[in-house]
Each structure stands twice: as C-alpha cells, then as structure tokens.
C-alpha cells in the first residue's frame, strides 16, 4: 500500500464511489502476509529504507527457510543474521545461489532489483579490537554492504598496542561514521571517539572471561566513556550498529 | 598549536634553523593550561568541533568558577552541566551576564565569536516521555543550542497515551536526528525508531521506582529494542546524546 | 474428603458415636496419596478449581510416568508442562491416547469427566510478540484449554510493526482477559494495557541476547510499565499466566 | 472527541460538506490540553474507565497544583499518589475541600459527578503482612475506593503468625479479588493464593533490610511462587495493584 | 599428633632430652599426608569430630580414587559428595564394597571402627519441599547418617499444599534439629521455623526457573524470613546443613 | 489459650454442653489483641519460648510506644530492636524504668516474672571482628541476655591480626554456641568454625565500602566458607543470630 | 615482643629457669593493648613494616581520638584515613600539632622517631584521571609519604585528552611503581600499563553517574584490562594501593 | 624499529637526506606483521620485557597455529594460554618439539635465545588453596617460568586447615612476591598478606557453587580484605598475576 494507492482510495471516498465502511475495510488489509508463525512486512522496505532481516536465533531451520522463500517470492532481497550451522545448512540446501558467511553467521541473496545506495555521506568504517571480535565485525560489515553502503574494515586494532590503530589514522579521519567493536574492558570506542569528530557507535562484545559478565563490562565502560557523543548498541549487536550507521550515512531527502 | 604553526615548525626543522631536540621540546608544550587540579584543553574546539564543557558534578564551586574564568579569559564560550544550586549560585555571582537554567542544571555564556553552525543537515528533535524527564530534556536542548544547531522539543509524549506523540507526526518526520528520552519502562525510543527513518538516540532516565534499578531498566529495554538502529547513551545523559546528535547533524567537509 | 464427609464426621462426634481422638485421627488421613517421592493431592481439583498439573522440569521420565498413571487411575485429567523430549517419549510410550505438543513442551489426556467450564466471562486472548515466543504462547493456550476456557491466539504481533497488532483490534476489544507475551524489551503488554480496559497479564520471555539477562529485562520493563493495572508473572511462565487468566475469567458463585 | 462527534465528522466528509484535508486536521486536534510540561488526557476516563491519576513523585508542588486545577476546571475527580509532605501542603492550601491521607501519601477530591461503580463482581480485599506495609496498603485502598469499588482491609496478617490470617478466613473466601502486600521474604501472597480460588495480586514492598535488595527479594519470591495463578506488580505499587484489581472486579458489558 | 604425644614432646624438651630446635622441627611435621595435589588431614576426625569428606566436584576421577585409597589405607571411613557419574564409576571399580547413591551423588565405605554417635540430643529431621529437591535431601541424609546421628526424612511437603506438612506434625515436634530444603520461593523453612521451637537450618536449592537466579531467590527469602532464629547455608548445600545439624545435635562434653 | 483451656473446651463439646458451632467460634477468638495497625501475639512466649520482640525500624515512635504499653499491661517483658534515636526518646519518656542502649539501638524492661533460663547447655560467645561491628554485637548480646541465657563478648578480634583472636582460645573452646560477626571480607566465622567443634552462626555486617555491596560480600563469603557446618543469618541481623543461638543452647524437654 | 625477647624466653625454658606452663602464659600476653572497643597492635610496625592506621569511617570521633592518643602515648606515628569533618574537628581539638588534609580526608602526626625509608627502589607515581578523583589521589599520596617513600603526583591526565598524559612521559618512564586512579570507564590504568614496564596498581573510583554502579564499572574494566600485569584494589581505596606500592618499592633484606 | 634505527632515521631527516614526508611514512611502517585477522607485535618483547602471549580462548585452532608459526619464524619464544584440547591437539601436530601442559591448558616452545632473567629480586611463590585451583596455579607457574623468573609452588594450603599453610612458613617468609590463588570464600590471600611483608597478588578462581557467582565472591572478598596492600587480578587469571609478579620481581635499570 504505497502513497499513490492511498491517495486513490481517499479520492474514491470523497467521490462517494466508495462508502466509508468499505474504505476503512480496505485500509485495514495491511500489507503483511501471514505465515501462521511470522508476519512478514513486505512494505517495510519503503517505510524504513531497508528489507526485513531474518533474525535466526531461536527460530527453527524450517521457519527460517519458509520466511526466506516467502520474501524471495515477493521479489525481495533476503538477509539472515545469527544463523547457526544447522540453519545455514538448511538455507544452503533450500535456496539456490544463496551466499553464506559461516564465521559471520549470516546468509544473503540480493534481489535482481538490489543496487547500491546512490546518495551516501561517505564510507562506514568498522573497527574491531581483537581477533575474537571478528564474528561481530563481519555481521556489521555484511549488514552495511547489503543495505548498499560502502564499508572498510580494520581488525585487531585494540588499545593494548594502540600504535596499531593509529597506523590507520587516515582511514579513521575520512570516515563518515565509525563502528567500534571491543570486548574485554571495551576501551577502543572511547579512544576513537576522543580522536575523530565523526559519529562513533560502540559495540561491546561478549569476548572475555571472569568478571566480564558476558559483555556487560565493556557495555558499561562504553556508556561511561569520557568521550562525549559516543552512542552504544547491545552486546554483540553488529547488525544494530550497522543499521544505526546506515541511518546516519544516508542522504535522505536529497 | 594549529596546523599553520605546525607546518612552520616542521619547516624550521628541515631548514636546520631548529635542532631536532628543540623541535621535539616545542611540540611537547601542548596547548593546555595547567590550573593545578584541572588541565583545560583550549584547542579542543578545533579538534572536536565544540568547546570543553565543564561537568560540574563532584567539583567544588570554587573549582568550577576558576575553570570558567580561565576559559572566558581565553575568549571561549563557557558551558557548565550537572551544576547543583550551590555551584549555580557561585557562578551567578562570579561571572557577569552568565545565563542559568536551574531545572536543567546548567549555565552558559557565549563568547562574542559564537555563531550558529552554518551547515547542518536539519533540525534536532528532543522528545521526552514524561514531565519528570524535563531536566534531562533541558540539558539536551541547551547543549544542542550552545553547539549551534537548531532544536525542537516535544515534552510529555510517552507511550501510555501514544496518540499524544503521533499528534506531532510532522515534526518527527522532518527531523534530522531525534533524541528520545524516557524513564519507567523506556519504551518511547523503540516506538519512535520503529516509525521514523532518521537516526534516533535513546536516553534512559533515572525516573521510576521499585524494580527500576535507578534507570537500568529503561537502559536495558532500549538496548534490547526490536527497532534496529536505535543507539543509546548513559542514564540521564542528555549532554552526551546532544553531542552524538550534533556529530550526526554536522555537515563536515562541506 | 469433601464437605459432606466432613459434616458426617462432625455429626458423629457430636452424637458421641465417635471419640474426639478417633475423629482427629480420621481428619488427619488427608486425601493425598504418597508415592514416596511426590504426594499427589487428588482433592486439589475441588479446592482450587483445577487438577494438579505435573511440572516435569527436573523430574525423571520415570517419576513423571508414575505420577501420571496414579492420576489416571484416580480418574483425573492429566496435564504435564515443561516436558523435555525424553519425558515426552516416555509418556507417549506409557500412556495410551495421550496428546503431545512438542513445541509447547506439554502433554495431556482428558478424563472422561472433563467438560468445558460452563460459566465463563468471555474469551481469553493470548498474544505473542515474536515467532520465538511461540513455545510460551502454546503453553498458555493449552493450559487455558485444559482448564475448560475458550482461547484465541495472536502470534507475531510485536511492537516493531505495531500495525500488525492493531489489525486485530476487534479481537482485543472483546477479550475477557489478555495474556501478552514478549521477550526483547518486553513492550507489548504495556502497549496492549494502554489500549484495552480488560485485565492484562504480561509474560516476559527469555528470548533475546546480550544485555537481556535471560528475560529479566522484559520482566522489569513490564513491572515499570506506564500502563497502570498490568500484572506480571515469572519469565516464560505461560502456565502461570493461564491460571491467573482462568481465575479472572471464571464466574464463580454463579 | 466521543463516538458521536466522530460519526458526525465522518458524515460531513461523506456529504462533502468537509474536505478530506479539513477532516484530517480536525481529527488531529486530539482531546488533550497542553500545559507546556504535561499533557492532560481528559478523555482517558472514557477510554480506560478511570480518571488520569497524578503520580506526584518527581513533580514539583507547583506542577501538581496546576495539573489538579486544570482537572477540576474540567469537572473531573482529582486523585494524586506518591505525594510527599511538601506537595500535600501545597495541594491543601490551593484546593478547597481536598482530602488528604498523609500516611498513604495521597489526596483526592471527588467531582460532583462521582458515584460508586454500579456493577461490580464483589468486594476487593487488601491484606498487608506488617505494620510497616501500611502505607502501601492505604494507597491501594484509596485507589480502589476512588475508582468506585467496595474495599475491605486486613492489616498485620503476615505468615510469622499465620493463625492471625486464618482468623479472617470468611473475608478471604468471599472476596472477589485479593491484593496481598508483603515485604521481608514476601510469603503472604503465596499462602493466600494457595488457599483461595479468586484472583490474587501480589505487591512486594521495600520493607526489610540487609540482603533485601530494596524489595527485590519479595518481588522475586512472589514471581517464583508455587501457587500458580498469582500475578505481581512492581515494588510498593499499591496503586497499580488496585487498578489491576478494579479491572478484574468490573462487570464490563453488563 | 594427639595430646598425649604433645605432652611427651614437651616433657622431653623440659628434660633437655630434646633441643628446642629439634622439638620445633617435630612439631612442624604435621599429621597430613602429601599426595602432591591434595593434602589429607587424617587427624581432622579428632579435631572436628568427623572425617575429611571428599568434595568431588572439580576433581578428576583419578584424584578422587587416590584420595579415597589413601584414607582407607589409614583405616578411615571414606565419604564423597557431589560425585558425577564418571567419578562414581571410577570409585565403584576401584574400591571394593563401596556404597553408592546415584541420585544423591555420593559414595561411602565405613571403616571397621565406625559406630553410631553414642550421645546425641535426638533425631535430625530432613524436610524437602518438592520431588526435585530430593538430591539435596539425600546428600543431607547420608551425611547425617555417616556422621553417626539418627535421621528421619519428609519429602514433598512444600507450602503449596501445606496440609501435607502438618500431617507430619508429630515428627516435627519431637525433632532435635530440622533441616528444611526448598527451591522456588523458598518458603518452607520460614513456615517450619514459625511452628517449632527447635533449631531450623534452611537449605535453598537451585530448583526453579526464570527470575530464580539459580537459587538466589530462595536463599534471600530465607535470609529475610520473618521467623527469627532460622539460619541458612549455601544453595544446594545439603552437606553443610547436615554438618551444622550434627554440631547442634552432638552432646559434647558429656 | 493454653492446653488446659483447650482440653476443657473439647470436654464441653463431647459433653454436648457446647454446640460444634459455638466451640469453633471460641477457638477462633485467638489470643492476639488488635491495636488496629499491629496484632500482638501474647501467647507467642508459650509457643516459641520467648516474647514478641518489637522490630522498630519503619514503625513510628507512637506505634512503638503503644505496642510496648500493651505488652506491659499484659505483664510481659518488652524488648525493642533497631530503634532510632527518635523512637528511643519516645520510649524513654513514656515508659518508666525502661533500659536503653543507644549504640546497640535497643531498649528493654523485664517483667517481674522474668528469670534466667534454668536449663541451658552452656555459654553463648559473641565475637565481633572490628570496632565498627559493635552495634550488631550489642544487639546480639542484649537479645541473648533478655532471653535468659549466659553471654560472653569478644570484640575487635578480626583476622587481620589473628593472634588477637587466639589469645581467647579458652573462651572459644568452652563455648556452647558462637556467634561470629564480621564485615569487610567476612573471614572471621570461617576461621572460628575451622577451629572449634561447637555450632557457629555467622553474621555478615554492612561495614565496608567500595565493592562491598552493603554487606553482600561478607554474606556470600560466609555461605561459601570452606568450614563445613557454619550457618548464616541476614546482614546486620544480630537479633536473628541470637535467637538461633538460644534455640541451640536451650535444653528443651529436660 | 621482639625476636630477642623471644630467644631469651626460650633460653629460660631450656635452662629450666622457667616452667613450660609459665613460658606459655608469657607468650600469650601478646603485645596489644585493650581499649575495650579496639585492640591496638603496637608491634605491627615491626611485623608488617608500617604503623596501624586508623580507618575512621564508622568510628565515632571519641573512638578515633582515644585510639590516636593511645598510639601517641606509645610513641607511635598516628595516621587516620576516611575521616569525615566531624572526626577531623575532634582530632584537631584533641591532638596538638596534628596535620590535616580535608580534601584527602586524613590526618597525621609523625612520631619523633619517624624518618624516611632509607632503601627504596625509586619513586612512586600517583596518576589521577580527573579533578574529581583528587581525594583518592591525596589519600594515596599521604599514605606513601607517611610510610616514608618518595612520591610524585600527576592530576587530570585522563584518556579523553590522552596527550595530557603523554606530556609526562619522562615521569612515567622512570617511576618505580605507578598508582593509576580513574572513575568513569576506568581506562587510564590500562593505557599506562600498556605503555610502561614497571608495576601498575589500578584504583577505580566512585566518580561517575548512571550505569556506573558506584565504581563497579571502572573496577571491572580494570580487571578485564588487555594490559597483562595490571593489578587492582577496591573502589576508592587509595590507601590500599599505596600500601601495595610501598611493599613493592621497599628494598627489604638489603 | 629499535632506538638505533630511530636515531638513524632522525639523523637522515636532519641531514636532509630524507624529506619530512618520507620520514613520516617510514615511521608509520610500524613493526607489526599483518596476518589478516591478528596483528603480531614482534617488538613488544623490547617494549614490555616479554613476548606477545597467545590467548587461545575464542580463537580457532588454525588461527593459533598460524600466529605461533609466524612468531617462530621471527625467532621468538611462543607461549599459548587458555588452550582447549582441540587447540592443543592442533599445536602438537603442527609445531615440532612444542611442550604442552593439559591441566594448565598451555603450550610453549622457547626460542634458542631464551635465557633466564639474570637480575631478579628473588623467588616468586605460587600458593593455591585447593586441588581444584590447580589449573590456575599451573598457568601462573608456567608464565613465571617462561618469563625467566624462579618459581616455587605450594598447593592445597587453604584456610580450612590453616596449619597446612604455616608448615611452609619459611618458603613464604623468603618469597619476593607471592601469588595467592583461592576459590570458595577466597580467604587465603588475606591470611597470607596479613602474615608476610612482601607484595601479595590475589587470584580469585571460579571454583565453588551456589551463591558463588562464578568467582565473584572470592574476587569481592579479596578486594575487601582487611590486609592492606593486597592487590587483585581477574577471576582465574593466573597469567595476569604472573605478569604482575614478574614486573615486581624484575630488577630493571640494574
């Protein structure tokens, strides 16, 4: 139901070619398709600017495949995150030409209509502190890419050897948005946000042990950062950070 | 020490009109002024795009006044946040023509050179769920304004009567960035982020009681939001949200 | 030991056809059957209005089967919740004609005397925010049904696409009680309770990740809801919510 | 804006005596009055069945008085909860004939149109475990009474001397809904819910010390109750429990 | 090194048949045997009144067997708790005539010198609230028995059907000490301690789910009990409760 | 209502000099006196072996005085704990010859019938780790004394200078029960319980700072003690520890 | 009781100029003086290398003064920490020539025998991240100084403007031990420990707000530091860090 | 890039045999080798005094092997910690002559240039409270040894039988630094730090159950120790404690 269809319906109401009751009834037939266990919102792409992503964690392989197939049937790009090996196996078998990243735990298949976003502010830079944060970094990178934005990744640039990070000064300085991913004490986003002037989104990860509280420590450390302006997403939420970065990097209205 | 001065110094080094040792020593005389208890970074304005703000909480009134006076002497805009009534009293007495907002707990005095930011993306909208979140909302509004960006505020638009929020649909739809402030169960940012496509920054507040954990409940609720792309700052951190919003709203490089 | 038997015993005492000591001794022979490891309270059905349900979690398959068999022998409806696959396998093998729902993790076999509750207020509506909350929703639905009350289910109606929920406005408006199930930030019960005037019971679920604390976040969010009158049960406790709803929906005394 | 007014507006639209744009604009003028810091929803009474209550905690005395005066002007019953002594003083001075309960921390003034609810299921019973839980009990009692329902209170009936509770067996047995309030280990609601068959709402209180976690211990104990069907509200939330009880006790549709 | 040996050594020192240095050296040869990874304190039996128990959790099967063999060699009773199936298998194979309780996760073999404690106050009663608390109950029972005290067990006597407990009134009333074991909301020890006058030791268990915090909820509930005099041990610590009960039940000095 | 009165009533019932209804009605007139806000259980002394103690925290001075006066009128010993200075002032003024300990925050006045407990096992020893734990120690000492048991106190015997404790070896060794009070890391009870063979009750205190969690750290440390048999009460609960100790020290049935 | 006295006593025992019983009795007269509420260990200076410090928090002014006077009488240096203004006032009045630092909340008076530690490794450097951490920094500095070690302080060198810290490179590089104090996200110790090779002790402070958990966030961040070798003390524990640093800096045995 | 190379580069710049731009470019080629997923810092050995250790947890076997091979190629000592059995298997197969400790979960292969540290203060003593803490103890011991320092281990010397510890008095007294490892209530480091005057580093372990919080209890207990000067590392962090101990034991500058 796009804006044109709505205007037409309202015209008909005013023309009396439609009764009030009938118009209301039509409006109620909202554009989501009921699969019984999951309602897919095909028009979300228009409303929010990107397709409905399949969050696979705690869905069965069968559920994921059925949702993906319904989206493909509708001509949409499919993109699944947090997919365990069982889900990835089922998807690989069921959907021809699907692309899969096992370390990043995601899969995707672009629709024929997919094209890169034309008007963007610049490049989104994804920095990860350690080798063990790679899976979150990959989730963020794939999300940015599927949503049509340019992306650069810097891995293993944590604060224990801070010269490694500053070797990439130029990449940081010309970034449009930076996603900074770190586990342990989570200091990387603070250091970056104290250095650059573009928006920085921190992603705490569950990498650590002992008094690490499953990632709560880097989460709280980022929220308490001395570097004003740093904003934060949930633990391990590379996907959410990418969505936030894309919203910033998007030149809407131009 | 701005870029020109640096280039001159490097020239002198290459000309041998300066020894390596001497050049290094000069570089080390970094542009901060030591007051004994607090080092003020006067060049921060250049590096980060905004002046060093005085976070007054846990500073004595005397310390705050001395920092503010040093900044004024240097020709800078002063801006203090989290100022209790004792600090505000001292500032009011010591600094001529200072402006004060008691509910928002801040004070400011713009330098003669202050001017609004010329190139911005659009308007920053500050939404607060309840009357009791007003102080955080005011802190965010003043910060946006001091940093030279346009700001609109919507108060008492919480989800218990969600029609109140949607009465302001147009304001929300044309915002460049939205700061969404909420205590209690912290649902407002989720609802807004599910509706608009611009970046949304959530600010949990300490307003609530019982199993509210001093604001941890709305903080965690926002981090777990179903609305992908929502980013979050610390509890009651209106200042940090404003800095994040300004970084997004700024047309750097143009 | 029902009321009639009690009156008879008291009569005998007053008639002196029974000594005080003997009467006390008979009263002490309470109507529970000792299986050694679990005492089954067959008269609970009379006292509380519904049969003793077998909470299978942390019971061995053998224990569950023995309890169920004892109940069947006594002519009672059996109903087991939180039954893992091993327990369900044992039950299926041991008890003829038992019904099983693997996703909802429960089994039941109605006694020949089972009949729907005759006098109820109306329909109990079970709403679940996401596909992943389905198991909790099924537990609630089966419990309502076994206890003899009418039940309607709405799945995947979470707040990220709130139009999906409001497409079911009519169902919500004529409900007698609503059970609202949600993980993540747990906003669904708040939104529903702000909309309808019937009693709403919130069920937080353990669906989520990162700073989700195994369901504590939606639990706390619901407890802090701005929508006054919302009451809450334990995380994933579809069974408890159903019992609460049935107590409300029951026309006792009529 | 009630249903009749809406039908009239829709008629005008269909008659073309109103343009679509004009009709939309009128619909948007929602029935809340903007006081700048708090939007009062005068029609809430119709939608939810009870007036908008003033939650005074974290509002200034001036804000509370202005909200109350606006409600009185509109002919509504006023009712304020969580009012500290300063707020109560201001209200007492500003509003003629207001009634005040200092221990229960609330005030009220019924509108001339106030009348008891005509069709209710029965009596709401409010039980409190200890003398120190009295303030929460009073908040619940006043709320039930203002909302027009009959109320009976049982105080100091905690489980340490459980015979005190059972001395009131008859009151419990004929209750329509029971609100059970307890601090310390919070066992009272469990015991009551194991005894009666009507709905029971538990209210944990912040009364206790040491490893009491400000009321989290009785809250969690109630959520883990062995007595299925018990539902719970936030710590010290007598008001919320009363709203929940009233929703249950209300004979809607009759 | 018992008291007689000590007196002899001191005699020798005073007689100068021993140099001070030599006496000190002998004193230092404390009566524990070094197995490399665990020092066994054979004289603990004398000092504390019971043998050193093997806490098997986080020990390898080999370690457990070697410790047990060393104790047997020394003529001691062996007793192991928290033994997983792998450990129990190894023990069964290595040690002739060892006794094993798989549900209680323990094993024992009494030394030929074992005999029941002659002078005790009375009987130790172990009450468990639910079927799922049986393993903790068995650990407590075996410990009491191995330490030579008389023990009676009451299972499945939780507060949801409190008449089940009171059917055993006589057992409770003549107990010397009561160990009360409960998961969920942990109300059983409170109820018992409010009823009897003998010492009661509460044991919270990890049985529960959702906001149960792995047993922290019944632990905290017991600590906050209204029944003064109730003391508590760690979650699932049936062994510790039994040791505490035995210390109370022991007629030392008589 | 003591046993004799009960036997008489039962006799009357059997004699038919009393109808069943009448007998039940009399039984229901339980021996507690209703003051409106607090029900005093005068027969508790018989049932539990000690008088009802007034826990003053969160009671008003007026409430405390009224409860105390009602107890005195009934010929009972009064004893109040957790009494702030305001309560103590009111009590001192209202009740002649009352005794007060301001540091221990309690007051008492023995009834003329008070006498020391005749048959006890031995002496209760109260050990406190630091000067700052003195108030908890005094609460425990006074409680033991009021309940009629002999008491010895050892103060400032914490583990930082463990020789201070062992200088009192003899007192420890002949104790009947030991109450061990400690804040900070709470190691004292562990050390004592590892040394003596009599029952030891640990009392964690809220003395400490930083990562002390208001006493949760010593509480958890005591629960995790390597010294099996140590039992624990709530933080700062000197009263509860004394009640537990008295139950152990009491020679019931002799 | 020093080593010489001990040797003499042992000599006497061996000479039989002392009976065993008498020798034991003398050994038991340990060198602490009992003030009733606090046992002062005058020989601690010998055993641990520094005097017993008076931790004033939760002691009354009278208690502090009496302890200090007893120490002075004994010829010892006095040093009190965590002294509130009331305590400082009492001390100032009672003890001639006492020195006081109100911001650092401590007082001291060196004994005539006080002298700086002769053999130390080098200089102890105390770094504090912000102006608000000054009180903890002062506590650490005074402690180092009283214990006789050389101390240098660097204030306001937090990571938000990390160039401020590195301007002091030379001080850091020649330090013997570094105490790094930080609130907020607590990143300073990590950064320093990643830079220098000497031992670094981190001190988290309670400076911060929102999701700061009273200093738990910087505490946990430091414990999770990527910079291996960093050790940590309790929140705000400048005193403890100084004691740890002094133990490291001390050239014992030389 | 060592100091000599740097001086040469600066010489060239001053000689004008190098342009400023070129010199900067060379400086930027920092001495780390990029493996794509992990940047190895070969010069760390010079800067911090020990090689980069491979923290294997959350790295794949392939990643660990590749990092180790790159280090060997560079002539460095390799040392991996937290290596699960899968990683150890891969390392054993890939790297000739590697040494492995399965209980300590680590592997190492010294470079031909490895030699013990020449100038050290003394011996590092590693004490572990229980058999179950052995793995943490071994991690600490191997780390000390690889870093070239002398090491002595004392196992199973926990406080439940404190005489076991004091049997090793002499070892403790001549230690240069002590690493004290304990789970359960974590009292061992407190006791040792109260006894010796050398620096003590506490390591809490995750050994325990019930209210043990995965090692948080001993962690907090150590942070709250009465024994001033004790410093602490993260739970189970034997490696970090060893690094801290080595930094203390190292005679730098001599």
């Amino acid at each position: 139901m796009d804006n044109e269809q709505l205007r037409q319906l309202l015209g008909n109401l005013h023309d009396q070619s439609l009764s009030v009751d009938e118009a209301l009834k039509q409006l109620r037939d909202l554009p989501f398709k009921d699969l019984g266990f999951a309602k897919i919102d095909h028009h979300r792409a228009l409303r929010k600017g990107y397709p409905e992503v399949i969050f696979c964690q705690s869905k069965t392989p069968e559920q994921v495949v059925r949702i993906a197939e319904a989206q493909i049937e509708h001509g949409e790009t499919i993109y699944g995150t947090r997919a365990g090996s069982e889900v990835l196996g089922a998807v690989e078998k069921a959907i021809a030409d699907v692309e899969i990243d096992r370390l990043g735990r995601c899969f995707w298949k672009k629709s024929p209509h997919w094209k890169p976003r034309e008007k963007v502010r610049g490049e989104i830079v994804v920095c990860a502190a350690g080798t063990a944060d790679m899976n979150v970094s990959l989730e963020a990178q794939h999300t940015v890419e599927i949503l049509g934005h340019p992306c650069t990744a810097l891995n293993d640039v944590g604060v224990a050897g801070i010269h490694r990070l500053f070797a990439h000064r130029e990449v940081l300085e010309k970034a449009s948005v930076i996603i900074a991913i770190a586990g342990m004490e989570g200091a990387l986003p603070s250091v970056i946000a104290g250095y650059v002037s573009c928006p920085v989104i921190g992603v705490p990860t569950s990498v650590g042990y002992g008094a690490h509280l499953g990632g709560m420590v880097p989460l709280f450390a980022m929220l308490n950062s001395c570097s004003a302006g740093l904003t934060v997403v949930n633990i391990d939420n590379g996907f959410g950070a990418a969505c936030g970065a894309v919203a910033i990097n998007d030149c809407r209205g131009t």
Side-chain angles (χ1 to χ4, degrees), chain A:
Chain A
M1 169 80 53
D2 63 18
N3 276 324
E4 258 168 295
Q5 286 178 296
L6 181 62
R7 247 177 281 130
Q8 197 167 356
L9 186 151
L10 292 171
N12 293 345
L13 178 74
H14 196 255
D15 295 353
Q16 302 189 340
S17 65
L18 199 72
S19 71
V20 170
D21 284 357
E22 187 58 28
L24 282 169
K25 192 155 153 278
Q26 282 187 28
L27 281 165
R28 230 175 254 136
D29 291 335
L30 286 161
F32 54 81
K33 178 166 179 178
D34 200 328
L35 293 181
F37 56 84
K39 296 190 170 44
I40 304 167
D41 184 357
H42 296 299
H43 289 256
R44 193 187 183 88
L46 301 173
R47 190 161 44 90
K48 287 288 300 184
Y50 42 82
E52 182 152 22
V53 174
I54 311 171
F55 180 78
C56 301
Q57 190 176 303
S58 56
K59 293 202 179 69
T60 66
E62 294 69 36
Q63 290 176 324
V64 170
V65 166
R66 274 174 65 194
I67 295 173
E69 287 175 342
Q71 288 182 312
I72 286 172
E73 209 177 297
H74 219 263
E76 289 182 358
T77 287
I78 61 167
Y79 177 45
T81 62
R82 302 284 166 119
S85 57
E86 212 185 341
V87 164
L88 289 178
V91 165
E92 198 167 27
K93 209 156 110 189
I95 297 172
D97 301 323
V98 72
E99 290 182 85
I100 281 178
D101 177 343
R102 284 200 152 70
L103 187 50
R105 291 168 305 161
C106 44
F107 65 86
W108 63 92
K109 183 177 177 181
K110 292 179 182 170
S111 95
H113 310 302
W114 186 91
K115 55 179 180 187
R117 199 75 183 159
E118 266 162 37
K119 299 202 167 169
V120 298
R121 285 192 142 191
E123 199 159 55
I124 295 173
V125 175
V126 179
C127 303
T131 303
D133 303 315
M134 191 75 98
N135 56 346
V136 178
S137 174
L138 287 168
E139 186 181 289
Q141 293 172 47
H142 291 307
T143 305
V144 167
E145 208 274 335
I146 292 290
L147 300 183
H149 289 246
C151 184
T152 300
L154 300 177
N155 289 319
D156 205 26
V157 292
V159 297
I162 207 144
H163 55 293
R164 299 179 189 178
L165 174 68
F166 289 115
H168 299 285
R169 238 174 328 229
E170 280 168 32
V171 174
L172 296 175
E173 276 164 11
K174 68 178 205 205
S176 171
V177 197
I178 297 173
I179 294 171
I181 301 165
M184 309 291 281
E185 84 267 58
L188 183 65
S190 271
V191 169
I192 292 178
Y195 184 76
V196 302
S197 57
C198 76
V200 179
I201 298 174
V203 189
T205 73
S206 55
V207 171
Y209 68 93
H212 189 258
L213 306 175
M216 297 296 263
V217 169
L219 168 61
F220 286 139
M222 291 176 195
L223 288 167
N224 283 285
S225 170
C226 302
S227 303
L230 176 66
T231 62
V232 179
V233 296
N234 200 355
I235 299 163
D236 289 337
N237 194 1
F239 169 69
C243 292
V246 159
I248 293 168
N249 199 41
D250 205 63
C251 291
R252 291 170 314 122
T254 27

